[in-house]
Amino acid sequence: MAKPDNRADNEVHLQNAIDNTMANINEAEDYLDEHADEISATDKQAIEAKNQRRRQSIQGFIEEKKDEANQ
């Protein structure tokens, strides 16, 4: 038998995802600040691109959290 769909804590999980993703962005930016002169331009560009994808994910999490709050 399938488990019932329990969405009671979805907002909490989404907020955790937002917080963790922000922490990853900050960690990557700190790394770039400290080691930008030691890494290749390709690696730097890859980190910046990944952070951009993380920011897009955060926007998706925020929209999903808004949807959950309205239900």
Side-chain angles (χ1 to χ4, degrees), residues 27-45 47-48:
E27 186 176 329
E29 288 176 348
D30 289 345
Y31 179 83
L32 285 176
D33 288 344
E34 292 177 27
H35 303 285
D37 57 338
E38 300 169 11
I39 61 175
S40 70
T42 303
D43 289 342
K44 181 179 177 186
Q45 191 173 26
I47 292 169
E48 290 170 344

Side-chain angles (χ1 to χ4, degrees), residues 23-68:
N24 289 338
I25 289 171
N26 292 334
E27 186 176 329
E29 288 176 348
D30 289 345
Y31 179 83
L32 285 176
D33 288 344
E34 292 177 27
H35 303 285
D37 57 338
E38 300 169 11
I39 61 175
S40 70
T42 303
D43 289 342
K44 181 179 177 186
Q45 191 173 26
I47 292 169
E48 290 170 344
K50 189 165 192 171
N51 271 356
Q52 183 59 35
R53 290 190 301 274
R54 287 173 172 147
R55 287 182 182 93
Q56 291 170 346
S57 293
I58 288 173
Q59 288 303 315
F61 292 144
I62 290 170
E63 290 301 317
E64 192 173 344
K65 190 175 171 186
K66 286 178 187 176
D67 289 344
E68 288 294 324

